[in-house]
Amino acid sequence: MRSGILESVAVVGGSIAGCAAALVLRRAGVRRVVVHERATAELADRGVGVAVHTGRCAELLAAGLIDETVPWEPMRLRHWYVRDGSAALGRVVGVQPFPFRAYSWGHLWRALRAGVPGDVEFRTGSPVLGIAVDGDGAVVRCEGGGERYAAVVGADGHASLVRDHLHPGLAPSPAGYPAWRGACPQERLDGLGEWADGVCAYVVFEGGHLVVYRIPDGRGGRLVNWVLYATVPGAPAASRALDTAHRARLAEITDELLPPFWGELVRRTGPDSVFLQRLYDVSAPRYASDRLLLLGDAATVARPHTGAGAVKALQDVAVLESSLAGAESWESAAGAYDAARAPVGRAMTALGRRLGHGLVEATPAWHTQDAAELDAWWAELAGQGGFGGRGLAR
Ligand SMILES: Cc1cc2nc3c(=O)[nH]c(=O)nc-3n(C[C@H](O)[C@H](O)[C@H](O)COP(=O)(O)OP(=O)(O)OC[C@H]3O[C@@H](n4cnc5c(N)ncnc54)[C@H](O)[C@@H]3O)c2cc1C
């Protein structure tokens, strides 16, 4: 963007999308950038693992958004396991290439936060309560009062207030099943079974699956990160906490549906370290209008089966930066950004629904599947691509 074309931008949300957005807005010449983050504490301890496709990772490194110093664990293969009597890891149904890097969410966020230029005002404990758009700007209302900016970037996640302002009444729809997440120190599994390095495990059962990969713990050791997706008959759709129904379903899955090694992984993580994550689908029809612009989960939430939410958030930021470069006005940059990214968001939401259907809601009869049937099933489910994120056309 021509230097100084925009005086000031407020970024709502200081997570993955928000930190990266603050960086590129300053790089694009916006004079004053203020990040409003609701959370008071550091965000670094939130979340667990983030798998990033190596192809997408290379694009984000080239865009200067991922820092090569962030620790990661390599993955090369995906093994699909199904319970088979007392076999510790179960039976391998099939093996597929899986070119991903496994990051810790906290390490990734810390690097993005460290990359926010020092002259950006990063306000923590600063929830945005409302937005009012007028002709050539917007007022952001916080507890201390309102402040005027030339534009507002919504990086405020799945329940985005900025999206709500842009698309009133567009609510995220619950996927209908949750994810349980946990991370267990690798040494707690010593002697239980031989799970090879570089392998991401998809442990499948009728009604759901468990995804497992190792991530760095930041102290030279490794954590075994896992995400379990399954339907929970009779659970209230809106419940957020690990209530009785969710605990009972988790116990049933670990005791009766997972092979012993994987069940033990969940048990040894410890009940206090397991948390529940609600899953949603939503995609904003337009990513930008007037003086508001959406990024990351604020723009589109696709189910995490796509393995691409963080990637999508950073790609949004990369495309915002290339749209701003050379643009004559904020409006023309925002229009180009919207045209490039809104269709990707829609495609990713559709892919997430399709993968959720096949991996959770209408699973195959896993016990009778062989490797060829698995490959054909996956090829049909994953369709036109996009698993791990669509390529970033530059
Ligand atoms: C189970 C699960 C597994 C996943 N696995 C992967 C994976 O392997 N690979 C991958 O790429 N992605 C994965 N994702 C997706 C990824 O975590 C998200 O897509 C990504 O973190 C979105 O980042 P964001 O910055 O857009 O939003 P968020 O991280 O949700 O951040 C939004 C921020 O906005 C702040 N905020 C909200 N409202 C306000 C307000 N009014 N005022 C001020 N601040 C506000 C919040 O406090 C928060 O910090 C997974 C997601 C889930 C649920």
Side-chain angles (χ1 to χ4, degrees):
M1 194 169 62
R2 282 192 293 111
S3 184
I5 208 162
L6 213 55
E7 194 59 38
S8 60
V9 175
V11 177
V12 187
S15 179
I16 290 185
C19 286
L23 169 67
V24 307
L25 288 165
R26 281 295 293 128
R27 285 202 300 220
V30 175
R31 289 208 188 94
R32 180 163 179 256
V33 178
V34 179
V35 177
H36 294 269
E37 168 53 52
R38 179 175 57 193
T40 43
E42 280 236 319
L43 298 178
D45 288 332
R46 265 196 219 165
V48 268
V50 176
V52 179
H53 190 283
T54 52
R56 307 294 73 77
C57 197
E59 294 165 351
L60 294 169
L61 282 163
L65 293 176
I66 289 189
D67 176 350
E68 193 56 289
T69 62
V70 182
W72 52 277
E73 284 285 325
M75 292 189 272
R76 289 176 295 278
L77 295 174
R78 168 165 57 177
H79 285 188
W80 295 75
Y81 293 100
V82 67
R83 184 168 163 131
D84 184 17
S86 61
L89 277 76
R91 172 173 71 87
V92 177
V93 181
V95 175
Q96 294 170 338
F98 199 76
F100 279 79
R101 287 181 175 193
Y103 287 98
S104 152
W105 191 97
H107 297 158
L108 206 54
W109 178 80
R110 265 189 222 109
L112 288 163
R113 175 68 187 91
V116 174
D119 56 5
V120 168
E121 280 179 57
F122 197 101
R123 300 183 189 165
T124 52
S126 177
V128 170
L129 306 173
I131 292 165
V133 177
D134 57 30
D136 57 354
V139 174
V140 168
R141 187 165 53 81
C142 295
E143 274 154 11
E147 215 172 326
R148 197 161 194 292
Y149 297 91
V152 176
V153 167
D156 48 344
H158 77 276
S160 169
L161 175 140
V162 183
R163 182 181 62 233
D164 207 37
H165 198 90
L166 206 52
H167 300 290
L170 176 70
S173 53
Y177 55 87
W180 294 257
R181 300 187 80 173
C184 177
Q186 160 98 23
E187 53 276 14
R188 285 192 202 159
L189 304 175
D190 284 352
L192 285 180
E194 289 305 311
W195 169 38
D197 264 2
V199 169
C200 175
Y202 269 50
V203 190
V204 292
F205 53 90
E206 270 115 78
H209 69 294
L210 176 76
V211 179
V212 191
Y213 54 85
R214 297 175 176 95
I215 57 172
D217 70 359
R219 298 181 298 277
R222 296 189 295 182
L223 293 169
V224 178
N225 166 79
W226 57 267
V227 189
L228 172 71
Y229 304 92
T231 51
V232 186
S239 79
R240 299 191 68 83
L242 210 52
D243 60 18
T244 312
H246 291 98
R247 287 187 194 282
R249 179 70 167 138
L250 186 63
E252 179 198 1
I253 293 167
T254 49
D255 294 349
E256 296 168 29
L257 302 180
L258 295 178
F261 177 87
W262 308 110
E264 205 54 39
L265 161 66
V266 174
R267 264 183 237 108
R268 293 191 186 191
T269 301
D272 296 339
S273 306
V274 176
F275 65 97
L276 195 71
Q277 197 138 25
R278 288 278 147 208
L279 307 178
Y280 301 95
D281 302 309
V282 69
S283 195
R286 271 176 307 139
Y287 274 25
S289 106
D290 299 327
R291 294 297 168 139
L292 307 183
L293 187 141
L294 302 172
L295 293 167
D297 278 10
T300 286
V301 182
R303 296 186 201 179
H305 313 297
T306 54
V311 164
K312 179 174 65 56
L314 292 172
Q315 289 182 330
D316 287 348
V317 174
V319 175
L320 174 62
E321 183 165 34
S322 54
S323 303
L324 286 169
E328 285 299 312
S329 65
W330 172 263
E331 285 80 358
S332 65
Y337 166 74
D338 174 48
R341 294 307 290 169
V344 175
R346 283 193 288 278
M348 293 307 292
T349 308
L351 176 65
R353 283 203 177 100
R354 218 165 50 240
L355 292 175
H357 188 70
L359 283 160
V360 181
E361 294 159 322
T363 45
W366 288 115
H367 284 88
T368 59
Q369 286 256 322
D370 62 21
E373 287 168 329
L374 171 76
D375 286 345
W377 170 84
W378 176 256
E380 191 177 339
L381 204 61
Q384 306 298 312
F387 177 67
R390 296 192 155 237
L392 191 57
R394 296 179 65 77

